[in-house]
Amino acid sequence: MDITAPRFTDENAARDHLESLQWPTGPFCPHCGSLNATRLEGTHHRAGLIQCNDCRKQYTVTVGTVFERSKVPLNKWLLVNHLLCSSKKGMSAHQIARMIGVSYKTAWFMMHRIREAMKDADNTPVGGSGKIVEADETYVGGKASNRHAHLRGKGPGLAQKQAVVSLVERGGKVRSQHVAKVTGPTLRATLVAGADRASWLMTDDHAGYKKVGKEFAGHASVSHSTGEYGRLGVIHSNTVENFFSILKRGIIGVYHHVSEAHLQRYATEFDFRYNTKDMTDFERSDEALIGIKGKRLTYRRTSQAAHA
């Protein structure tokens, strides 16, 4: 992992790199959409400042992105983005804070902003005619000391493990969704929204898949409860199970526990790395940087969600 590239050590180089990704044809005004702009390069102007010649408003490449109004130098943003994109199981906020010299709170919020940028803009369902989609559910997150508190009569168990349902197209993308409870209706809602019903559906023997499976081109399942994990070389859910193994190792080994409020963002992070696994680390990092636009996230909104 090369973290000595100029974009990671020099703020001007970082800005130039970000502009090349966000504005391949030149500055684009986030206020009115005009391409008619003038760079303000006087000694009294901050670096990277541009003025729109049509609406007369000023802006930089970070306006309207997850980096907007951040006091953290842009090269540190690009470094954190690269570290998160190139680490197979993620990287803790404590580690990031130590590496770039910021507080844990700042590192934590930076990482959530980057996860916001990782959201897939393509909402097209996975699968399609002649394709196979594997679906499965798993449980992650929660503080270990509180996972069974509700069973001991000590609270509602809000820190229990939470459910994630993932859909994986064989040879294609994964889509993961945090659900409040694994039931027939929640599984159906996730499946019909995330998978093309012209697909063949592969699942385990969870009863919730039986009814919705009839809405797909075909449905086959394996009985994990009896030790069956595949047959005929085609009927299995091993692809989604392999994805879950990485997700769980990341949550348990790197993040240790995650709150219910933020679990979807963590799932998005692991989806993003899976969906870009054929890219190099630098290509994957650039892909995330392209996604920063139009996804503003404030600390108040993020922290309030954690305590809601």
Side-chain angles (χ1 to χ4, degrees), residues 183-193 197 208 212 215:
T183 63
T186 58
L187 288 175
R188 182 186 182 279
T190 303
L191 282 165
V192 299
R197 278 179 274 189
V212 68
E215 299 182 40

Side-chain angles (χ1 to χ4, degrees), residues 193-255:
D196 191 314
R197 278 179 274 189
S199 314
W200 267 83
L201 182 65
M202 300 288 175
T203 68
D204 60 18
D205 53 348
H206 190 291
Y209 294 113
K210 292 182 179 178
K211 187 174 181 180
V212 68
K214 297 176 182 178
E215 299 182 40
F216 287 77
H219 174 216
S221 63
V222 288
S223 178
H224 288 176
S225 59
T226 61
E228 180 189 38
Y229 288 90
R231 60 182 184 275
L232 303 178
V234 177
I235 300 173
H236 62 79
S237 58
N238 296 337
T239 315
V240 67
E241 291 285 352
N242 290 338
F243 169 75
F244 281 154
S245 70
I246 299 173
L247 173 67
K248 287 184 173 181
R249 278 183 285 167
I251 297 295
I252 296 171
V254 177
Y255 299 121

Side-chain angles (χ1 to χ4, degrees), residues 78-90:
L78 266 60
L79 176 57
V80 173
N81 177 72
H82 183 73
L83 291 170
L84 195 58
C85 288
S86 58
S87 301
K88 186 174 182 180
K89 293 176 286 186

Side-chain angles (χ1 to χ4, degrees), residues 162-165 176-180 190 259-264 267:
Q162 300 297 320
V164 174
V165 177
S176 298
Q177 181 68 46
H178 168 222
V179 296
T190 303
S259 71
E260 180 180 0
H262 299 305
L263 178 55
Q264 183 59 55

